[in-house]
Amino acid sequence: LLIALILYLPTTLLTDSRVYILFVPISILFYKNELICFFKSFFKSPFRKRYLLSLWLIILLLFTITLNSLIGGDFINFLKTGTLFLTPLAFLSAFIVTDYKIYRILLLLISIEILVGFIEYLFGVNTFFTFHPDYYVFDNYFSFYYTRIFGLSANSSFLAQKCFVGFLVIYFVDLKLNNKQIIIFNLLMMLGVFLTFGRTVVVVCTFMIILYNFFYFFNIIKKNNFFYINSNKLLFIKSLVYFVVIMLSIPLLSNQINRFGISHKKVNDSKGVEILNSVGLENVEMAGRKLLWGKTIDFIIENPIVGNHSKRFLVNNKHV
């Protein structure tokens, strides 16, 4: 319960990311032996594949971003932002989050937040935190985009990402749930995806379910669990139903995703905007993102190696 709460709470408005520091004492207290074994094994054969994909990857990442910040003369600010510490903390938390019971509690917490969001939707507000700077009351329910709910999070995107995590856990971890529980959690994640209407999450969840179906059929043909998935037959049927619903809803979703009927913002042509238009985004309303992404692509073209020296990249004081 403690580990699940530490994973979950910083994703809400209730706490901030400094809570993740608690993973350090938890690791020492409860996973000391596992960590000692890990490092003993590492020093015996440091260039095994498992270490190239884990420990050496962290070292390489931290070394390159530190070097990049030094080249840009921004090392002090780099230390203040906490990147040097947050990256190892992320890998440390992944190392100790191995018990399916943690995932079950995490899934339950996400589900509770989705239910809070559903009540927000019924009350016609995007969040119950009235002090939130982006708090607003819905004018109408015509567009999913303008009725996105925040749940307990700082914005709808955070909650949408948690719904995606919920889907991943359901489909790729054996949570030892019965069929009724699987269906309930699955429906709640689907509800959360649509009420937050993070367009990227809608697309990625659909792609993930297609991938799951492929893995499921492959395992049946090979008669083994070559791809580690939750092989519950009812879950597989549910994923097929989800896919059929998405296919039947394409006309509605296309209008919602492209926001037809909403006036498009004119963006001055640049190399970045030309690239966006060339991949089919010319007539898609992107809530100002075309300007942000276009300028970002221009910046990447002009600074392909060092970027902005590993700082947070902003365009017109908005993060990209």
Side-chain angles (χ1 to χ4, degrees), residues 158-196:
F158 285 0
L159 180 52
Q161 290 162 22
K162 280 181 269 190
C163 294
F164 176 59
V165 170
F167 265 125
L168 283 177
V169 169
I170 291 170
Y171 281 96
F172 294 97
V173 178
D174 183 7
L175 299 173
K176 296 179 172 52
L177 299 172
N178 60 44
N179 288 339
K180 184 178 178 181
Q181 291 168 332
I182 287 175
I183 294 300
I184 289 172
F185 281 124
N186 209 346
L187 288 173
L188 283 171
M189 295 307 117
M190 196 183 301
L191 176 67
V193 166
F194 280 101
L195 290 184
T196 54

Side-chain angles (χ1 to χ4, degrees), residues 17-73:
S17 57
R18 282 173 290 191
V19 171
Y20 289 133
I21 294 171
L22 292 174
F23 276 121
V24 175
I26 285 175
S27 302
I28 294 170
L29 285 171
F30 300 107
Y31 295 88
K32 181 175 66 177
N33 293 335
E34 287 87 344
L35 287 169
I36 290 171
C37 288
F38 177 83
F39 284 108
K40 276 184 177 178
S41 177
F42 169 74
F43 286 117
K44 275 185 180 179
S45 51
F47 297 107
R48 286 170 58 188
K49 183 180 177 181
R50 63 175 294 199
Y51 300 123
L52 292 175
L53 295 175
S54 57
L55 202 58
W56 284 113
L57 183 64
I58 304 170
I59 293 168
L60 178 64
L61 178 63
L62 294 178
F63 173 76
T64 51
I65 60 177
T66 301
L67 180 63
N68 201 14
S69 66
L70 283 168
I71 293 170

Side-chain angles (χ1 to χ4, degrees), residues 198-216:
R199 293 183 292 180
T200 303
V201 172
V202 171
V203 173
V204 172
C205 282
T206 304
F207 176 76
M208 182 210 70
I209 288 174
I210 294 171
L211 204 61
Y212 170 82
N213 290 339
F214 169 78
F215 290 162
Y216 190 93

Side-chain angles (χ1 to χ4, degrees), residues 215-267:
F215 290 162
Y216 190 93
F217 278 120
F218 187 91
N219 285 351
I220 290 176
I221 293 168
K222 291 294 183 180
K223 295 181 180 179
N224 63 27
N225 201 12
F226 184 83
F227 292 107
Y228 187 80
I229 61 173
N230 187 343
S231 298
N232 184 290
K233 190 176 291 186
L234 187 62
L235 184 62
F236 169 67
I237 295 169
K238 179 70 177 56
S239 68
L240 289 178
V241 171
Y242 175 89
F243 182 70
V244 170
V245 169
I246 290 293
M247 291 299 102
L248 293 175
S249 304
I250 280 179
L252 168 66
L253 290 175
S254 176
N255 287 337
Q256 292 285 343
I257 287 174
N258 292 296
R259 301 179 200 159
F260 293 145
I262 300 174
S263 58
H264 294 192
K265 296 178 181 178
K266 176 65 178 173
V267 178

